[in-house]
Amino acid sequence: MDRLLDDFLAMLPLLFAGLLAFLLLWLIAKVVRAGLERVLARSSNRSAATAIGRIAYVLLLALAVLISVTVAFPSMTPGRLISVLGVGGIAIGFAFKDIFQNLLAGILLLLRHPFRVGDEITTGEFTGTVEAIETRATHIRTYDGKRVITPNGDVYTKPVTVISAYDMLRSEYDVGIGYGDDLGKAKEIALEAIRSVEGVLEDPTPDVLVWELAGSSKNLRLRWWTRPQRGEVLHVRDRVLRAAAEALSGAGVDLPFPTQVVLFHDQTEATDGDRRRQREGWPAGDSPPEPRPLSRVELVRSDGERGDGDGRS
């Protein structure tokens, strides 16, 4: 027991020296990190400067650990310490794989800066404004006021849509008009309405395209450009749709509801083609059924009484 105590007391000066060495090198690492970030921020991207400063800090901190352990335990040479750390590093790497992946991805995001703080992005199922890019995770403020912390590994390896990457964004909306309305007139009215809306950019110019001949309407696609910020996009969209609807309705252009016509298998017009040929609902032949309009269809009500197609019993 006395010998253990004597050995511990003999080691105290070395332990104290090792601790002092670590503290000194730790302070140097902090100073180097702050200096690098300050100097590089003047000549390059601030995010890249932050990433380089953090890398330098981690490397100097690892060097501080090696030197302080060597000072505290003289028998532990740097070579032996590195070999020990190499064996243990494999186990640590497997145990903290996700952490190291996020750390490396965060450093790459800060160096390559595909997006910056303040950009509006979509990653995975989340869309919002980037609040912070850290070495482990990216903080996103969604449009409904929530904070989403997304691991950098997911952000770096999955598709990311940078909504505000450019200074303009295109929006579009489909409007249906009646088949009896004039397409050229409707396009001119809608285009004039879009151009009159505040917030719609003049260059690129808005346009209106004939997009689809649908079952109940001829569809026009309205397209216009705005600034990419979410609030601006939504408010301009509101004004564009209101202006287009009011202008088309005011000019007498029909904005029809979806319409379906349901016919019985033999409810057709007498002049509806050659009824001796193959038709929907009956085979071809020389004795086709006579046309039966809805007024001649006999309906059975839920109470068992019969009535004609006009609803009279």
Side-chain angles (χ1 to χ4, degrees), residues 6-129:
D6 291 339
D7 291 342
F8 176 72
L9 292 175
M11 290 178 60
L12 277 179
L14 294 176
L15 292 175
F16 184 71
L19 180 61
L20 284 179
F22 177 79
L23 291 175
L24 179 61
L25 293 172
W26 174 63
L27 290 174
I28 293 174
K30 292 193 67 173
V31 171
V32 170
R33 173 183 173 179
L36 282 174
E37 291 181 358
R38 189 179 304 109
V39 172
L40 294 176
R42 300 172 184 170
S43 57
S44 61
N45 182 268
R46 186 174 183 83
S47 298
T50 301
I52 294 173
R54 289 175 180 174
I55 294 173
Y57 176 75
V58 171
L59 293 176
L60 290 175
L61 205 60
L63 180 63
V65 171
L66 291 174
I67 294 175
S68 59
V69 171
T70 304
V71 171
F73 304 97
S75 60
M76 183 67 72
T77 62
R80 291 180 59 188
L81 182 60
I82 291 174
S83 63
V84 171
L85 291 176
V87 174
I90 297 176
I92 294 174
F94 280 109
F96 298 95
K97 178 179 69 71
D98 292 339
I99 295 177
F100 291 144
Q101 179 184 1
N102 292 328
L103 177 64
L104 179 60
I107 292 173
L108 292 175
L109 287 174
L110 290 169
L111 287 174
R112 303 186 64 180
H113 49 83
F115 53 83
R116 299 176 175 84
V117 174
D119 278 341
E120 298 181 12
I121 68 171
T122 296
T123 174
E125 58 181 298
F126 304 108
T127 300
T129 304

Side-chain angles (χ1 to χ4, degrees), residues 29-303:
K30 292 193 67 173
V31 171
V32 170
R33 173 183 173 179
L36 282 174
E37 291 181 358
R38 189 179 304 109
V39 172
L40 294 176
R42 300 172 184 170
S43 57
S44 61
N45 182 268
R46 186 174 183 83
S47 298
T50 301
I52 294 173
R54 289 175 180 174
I55 294 173
Y57 176 75
V58 171
L59 293 176
L60 290 175
L61 205 60
L63 180 63
V65 171
L66 291 174
I67 294 175
S68 59
V69 171
T70 304
V71 171
F73 304 97
S75 60
M76 183 67 72
T77 62
R80 291 180 59 188
L81 182 60
I82 291 174
S83 63
V84 171
L85 291 176
V87 174
I90 297 176
I92 294 174
F94 280 109
F96 298 95
K97 178 179 69 71
D98 292 339
I99 295 177
F100 291 144
Q101 179 184 1
N102 292 328
L103 177 64
L104 179 60
I107 292 173
L108 292 175
L109 287 174
L110 290 169
L111 287 174
R112 303 186 64 180
H113 49 83
F115 53 83
R116 299 176 175 84
V117 174
D119 278 341
E120 298 181 12
I121 68 171
T122 296
T123 174
E125 58 181 298
F126 304 108
T127 300
T129 304
V130 178
E131 286 189 322
I133 306 173
E134 300 180 349
T135 50
R136 190 195 71 84
T138 297
H139 295 211
I140 300 174
R141 178 184 175 89
T142 61
Y143 296 133
D144 55 356
K146 300 175 183 176
R147 173 178 292 171
V148 177
I149 301 176
T150 306
N152 284 331
D154 293 341
V155 176
Y156 194 79
T157 57
K158 295 180 180 179
V160 176
T161 302
V162 184
I163 301 172
S164 56
Y166 305 105
D167 58 356
M168 63 183 67
L169 186 71
R170 193 183 73 186
S171 300
E172 58 186 35
Y173 191 83
D174 292 349
V175 175
I177 65 172
Y179 269 95
D181 293 306
D182 183 82
L183 276 173
K185 176 183 176 183
K187 287 180 62 176
E188 291 178 3
I189 294 172
L191 185 59
E192 188 63 29
I194 297 174
R195 288 174 174 168
S196 66
V197 172
E198 180 184 359
V200 173
L201 300 180
E202 296 181 0
D203 186 21
T205 59
D207 57 4
V208 178
L209 306 175
V210 179
W211 197 253
E212 185 181 14
L213 300 177
S216 305
S217 62
K218 296 182 290 188
N219 293 340
L220 304 178
R221 175 154 294 184
L222 283 54
R223 306 194 304 177
W224 66 94
W225 294 82
T226 63
R227 298 303 176 193
Q229 286 71 30
R230 171 74 171 182
E232 179 78 3
V233 171
L234 290 181
H235 285 95
V236 173
R237 176 189 173 94
D238 170 73
R239 293 195 291 267
V240 165
L241 297 188
R242 184 173 56 190
E246 291 176 352
L248 290 171
S249 297
V253 177
D254 185 24
L255 302 177
F257 294 103
T259 304
Q260 287 185 333
V261 178
V262 180
L263 299 175
F264 292 98
H265 75 282
D266 59 350
Q267 186 196 335
T268 57
E269 297 293 333
T271 57
D272 187 18
D274 186 357
R275 299 176 62 80
R276 292 172 299 176
R277 302 179 61 185
Q278 176 69 42
R279 305 185 61 80
E280 186 71 26
W282 61 80
D286 294 332
S287 301
E290 293 296 326
R292 183 175 56 163
L294 188 61
S295 60
R296 292 170 51 190
V297 176
E298 186 178 44
L299 304 178
V300 179
R301 301 193 317 206
S302 60
D303 56 6

